Amino acid sequence: MIQNFTLHTHTAGFDGRHSESEMITRAADMGFDTIGISNHFIVHPDIRRAHFYIPAKSRKYDAIYSASFDEVIPRFIAHYERLERAAENAKINVLRGMEVDFFDTPQWYHGFESALRTLRPDYIICACHFIEFAGGLCNVHDMANAGPDIQKKMLAMYWQKIRTAAASGIFSWMAHIDLPKKVGLGADEYWGDAENKTVSALAKCKIPVEINTGGKRIGVPEPYPSARIMRMIANNNVPVLLSDDAHSCDQIGRDFESAHVLAQKCGIKNFLTLQKILDFSNKTL
Ligand SMILES: [Zn+2]
Ligand SMILES: [Zn+2]
């Protein structure tokens, strides 16, 4: 097995399809030693005013968006309780994770720190699904719909946000760092400089990056990050792990082999063990 653990997964009650116990059983059947569940932890006071909230509500995954920490914490307590019960009967190790959207405000830091004291996750994945632009929250679809000049500004802000999040020292690793690729943005050579600057910053912070194969689910043919960024990761010796970003049982471990081959082709050698990830997470938590 290329990697005997999978830590970036989602379950029902958030935006995944299957329950905690169904995900654990499938991972065990596939031969994994460890599964971690990392549902979305997204808290922003304006989240219900964002464009993307309406389609999320109609497609019934609005539960991932919270306007306050008081809303999200009970949801995670209930989820972690289900996870603990499922883990009791599991044949493999089960870890408590979260995929957290980073917002660089004193209110967010304060709320997040107190949430951590209550929830005590084993690791925290950093995601930047949104940028704050012109007084509102924008996701990658909003970026795709913007005019060329605004789009350029938004993408530059996105890369800056990744660097700020990495430097915060809060996170165990960075998720899908070139997420705007999801909507076809950022592939141009022009963005090589921003990517390079970002990967150097990640190396400086000693924060790992995931190679995320979950894009296939929505038609992205290659993993996050691109081969261009993978070569930068190799040059800077940034540690990596493989993530499936599974939102259902059948997505667990998907494309790990081909992603591993591509990463090696790009020169990546620094693949993390589970122990190293947990050691790193213990330092940040
Ligand atoms: Zn994500
Ligand atoms: Zn995810």
Side-chain angles (χ1 to χ4, degrees):
M1 204 168 199
I2 297 285
Q3 181 184 286
N4 64 4
F5 57 89
T6 179
L7 302 180
H8 186 158
T9 65
H10 299 272
T11 60
F14 293 84
D15 65 344
R17 272 236 330 262
H18 295 114
S19 68
E20 291 85 354
S21 64
E22 287 171 313
M23 294 292 275
I24 294 167
T25 304
R26 176 65 69 94
D29 290 348
M30 290 176 73
F32 283 97
D33 281 353
T34 300
I35 182 171
I37 308 289
S38 60
N39 280 305
H40 289 286
F41 189 106
I42 305 170
V43 182
H44 193 285
D46 300 332
I47 203 99
R48 294 203 174 86
R49 282 194 287 275
H51 285 139
F52 50 79
Y53 188 73
I54 299 154
K57 204 168 165 63
S58 66
R59 288 164 59 196
K60 297 193 182 356
Y61 64 87
D62 51 309
I64 64 173
Y65 300 127
S66 301
S68 74
F69 288 93
D70 290 344
E71 263 178 50
V72 74
I73 290 172
R75 195 186 299 283
F76 261 80
I77 290 176
H79 158 56
Y80 279 173
E81 280 171 4
R82 289 195 299 274
L83 194 55
E84 208 168 295
R85 279 198 298 278
E88 280 166 18
N89 306 315
K91 296 189 191 78
I92 57 172
N93 298 319
V94 177
L95 296 174
R96 303 169 7 151
M98 43 171 72
E99 180 180 6
V100 176
D101 266 86
F102 172 75
F103 295 106
D104 191 19
T105 65
Q107 292 83 345
W108 187 86
Y109 277 99
H110 179 76
F112 187 61
E113 271 167 17
S114 90
L116 283 188
R117 281 194 292 276
T118 307
L119 297 172
R120 303 236 154 255
D122 296 307
Y123 59 90
I124 313 170
I125 310 175
C126 177
C128 295
H129 295 101
F130 316 106
I131 55 163
E132 286 161 293
F133 188 83
L137 278 177
C138 298
N139 67 5
V140 291
H141 299 285
D142 297 318
M143 288 187 202
N145 293 332
D149 290 347
I150 301 281
Q151 198 171 75
K152 218 170 178 180
K153 256 189 210 159
M154 287 173 144
L155 261 178
M157 283 172 80
Y158 172 82
W159 283 110
Q160 176 60 51
K161 188 172 182 184
I162 296 280
R163 294 191 289 273
T164 310
S168 72
I170 296 173
F171 301 105
S172 310
W173 74 85
M174 305 298 292
H176 45 59
I177 59 169
D178 57 347
L179 187 67
K181 178 169 70 186
K182 179 176 172 176
V183 290
L185 296 180
D188 193 279
E189 278 295 332
Y190 172 85
W191 293 102
D193 282 348
E195 292 167 0
N196 225 335
K197 196 172 161 192
T198 305
V199 173
S200 311
L202 301 181
K204 228 176 168 180
C205 307
K206 297 191 192 310
I207 185 164
V209 172
E210 68 176 16
I211 295 174
N212 180 314
T213 60
K216 271 232 173 127
R217 180 166 57 88
I218 46 151
V220 180
E222 57 168 33
Y224 304 101
S226 66
R228 181 169 73 199
I229 299 176
M230 282 196 205
R231 285 191 288 274
M232 297 171 190
I233 286 175
N235 287 338
N236 287 274
N237 199 33
V238 173
V240 303
L241 69 154
L242 301 171
S243 289
D244 47 46
D245 207 346
H247 284 66
S248 58
C249 286
D250 55 300
Q251 293 166 359
I252 295 175
R254 188 165 68 169
D255 296 320
F256 273 10
E257 284 82 3
S258 58
H260 188 256
V261 168
L262 177 62
Q264 281 184 315
K265 256 194 206 156
C266 294
I268 293 177
K269 295 191 184 79
N270 196 353
F271 292 91
L272 286 164
T273 61
L274 178 62
Q275 196 51 52
K276 274 200 180 149
I277 294 167
L278 295 178
D279 288 348
F280 186 80
S281 304
N282 280 337
K283 256 187 257 160
T284 58
L285 283 168

